[in-house]
Amino acid sequence: MTQPKPLNNLVLVDRACNPTTSEGGIVLPGSDEPQQCHGIVLGTGAKVTEPISEGDTVLFSRYSGTELTFQGKTYVLIREEELLATV
């Protein structure tokens, strides 16, 4: 399956999923939990100046980026300036 290729200073991120069970095995309700604010970089645009590469884990604010669905998979396109840190 192919994925979108980001342009300019955009970074394509696969957002980490919220856990569905706790460490003790209790099923967690998913409707009121905020989405995770980290993910794995899947691609970078040609004008990204920061040392970010595919496979890096990045942190970003809760409302940054644009969520998009491509071939049934959800991604987040984030401007380079909106990334907070790499892990």
Side-chain angles (χ1 to χ4, degrees):
M1 180 165 102
T2 61
Q3 61 193 21
K5 180 169 175 46
L7 301 174
N8 298 323
N9 67 339
L10 294 173
V11 178
L12 183 66
V13 176
D14 183 14
R15 187 188 305 252
C17 296
N18 287 335
T20 56
T21 59
S22 69
E23 291 180 15
I26 298 172
V27 176
L28 301 172
S31 60
D32 60 345
E33 289 187 26
Q35 292 186 340
Q36 295 288 335
C37 296
H38 69 278
I40 297 174
V41 175
L42 299 176
T44 59
K47 294 184 180 179
V48 172
T49 58
E50 296 297 321
I52 300 169
S53 59
E54 292 182 21
D56 288 351
T57 300
V58 292
L59 303 176
F60 49 91
S61 68
R62 182 176 181 184
Y63 299 107
S64 62
T66 302
E67 193 170 283
L68 65 106
T69 303
F70 181 76
Q71 294 182 348
K73 177 82 173 136
T74 302
Y75 302 98
V76 181
L77 271 174
I78 303 174
R79 288 184 306 160
E80 173 187 18
E81 297 84 27
E82 294 180 280
L83 295 176
L84 303 175
T86 58
V87 180

